[in-house]
Amino acid sequence: MAAGATAAAAYDWRFDSGRLCLDLVATAEAAPGGPEPLDGPGQLGRWLVGAGLVPAGTVFAPVEGQWVGRFVELRDHVGQLVRAQIDGCGAESALERINALAAGAPPGIRAVRDAQGSLVRALSAAPECGELLAAVARDAVDLLTDPVARARLRECEGDNCRRVYLDTSRGRRRRWCSSEVCGNRERVARHRRRAAVARA
């Protein structure tokens, strides 16, 4: 399949959590109780391109349903481990699975010239599922073994939002996964509450 050729998903494909592995975890929050956001023709490929794991225009071998299942499994393990870190508890089985996937080799990359002569990133060969999983698992390992990055993990304070993000703001005072989405919703709700009080 061509990764970019997909229909628009109901999920707003945002990539603002600050890390590749956290962007994968965010897809679990897309439609609680609804259809799997990564499932269906091209959805996983669309995420892989949007997250920057593979360059736009990458052609995959046929992505079987098994790919989606394996990415969902990794997403669940990363989510468990990240939230365990935030809560100060363990998630040993998730850690073991992430370590096992991180031991694999990520896709090979190379620099090629684009139509304008600039160097751009390309993959050395059509990516295999295990290689892409290894790249995400390695990002999770890098994040969770870096004390500075680990200390910046936050869960969104927005109503009905559980996205985890990396707080890189000045003063570490970021409260929402996105100021434009959850932050704006909170500001609108606060304005409506004030307006209701004023009318009363």
Side-chain angles (χ1 to χ4, degrees):
M1 99 178 151
T6 65
Y11 172 62
D12 60 338
W13 291 93
R14 288 172 27 216
F15 301 96
D16 52 8
S17 65
R19 292 299 287 250
L20 173 65
C21 63
L22 298 180
D23 285 337
L24 179 61
V25 171
T27 66
E29 307 303 323
E36 170 56 55
L38 297 178
D39 208 354
Q43 292 301 90
L44 177 56
R46 184 172 175 232
W47 182 85
L48 292 167
V49 172
L53 188 52
V54 299
T58 297
V59 177
F60 299 91
V63 176
E64 304 163 2
Q66 172 188 19
W67 280 49
V68 172
R70 291 177 72 187
F71 268 89
V72 168
E73 180 188 26
L74 175 58
R75 178 186 71 193
D76 293 346
H77 290 314
V78 174
Q80 289 168 25
L81 191 55
V82 164
R83 288 197 167 88
Q85 286 294 309
I86 291 172
D87 296 338
C89 54
E92 296 309 307
S93 63
L95 177 60
E96 285 179 27
R97 187 65 183 130
I98 290 167
N99 281 335
L101 290 170
I109 60 169
R110 60 195 180 112
V112 297
R113 300 259 179 215
D114 66 10
Q116 290 74 42
S118 297
L119 288 173
V120 295
R121 183 174 65 100
L123 299 184
S124 302
E128 298 291 332
C129 185
E131 295 174 332
L132 298 173
L133 290 166
V136 179
R138 284 178 179 218
D139 184 62
V141 169
D142 287 345
L143 168 63
L144 295 170
T145 58
D146 178 344
V148 174
R150 195 172 57 231
R152 293 177 177 176
L153 284 169
R154 303 282 186 274
E155 191 171 70
C156 184
E157 295 179 22
D159 287 342
N160 303 315
C161 184
R162 296 185 64 238
R163 284 183 190 231
V164 176
Y165 61 90
L166 208 58
D167 182 2
T168 56
S169 66
R170 184 177 297 166
R172 309 292 178 260
R173 288 192 285 249
R174 182 174 162 189
R175 296 177 51 208
W176 305 293
C177 62
S178 168
S179 180
E180 293 77 23
V181 180
C182 288
N184 192 51
R185 283 188 198 127
E186 176 133 344
R187 288 187 287 273
V188 168
R190 197 181 312 138
H191 173 74
R192 287 181 179 157
R193 286 192 297 269
R194 281 197 300 263
V197 168
R199 284 194 301 272

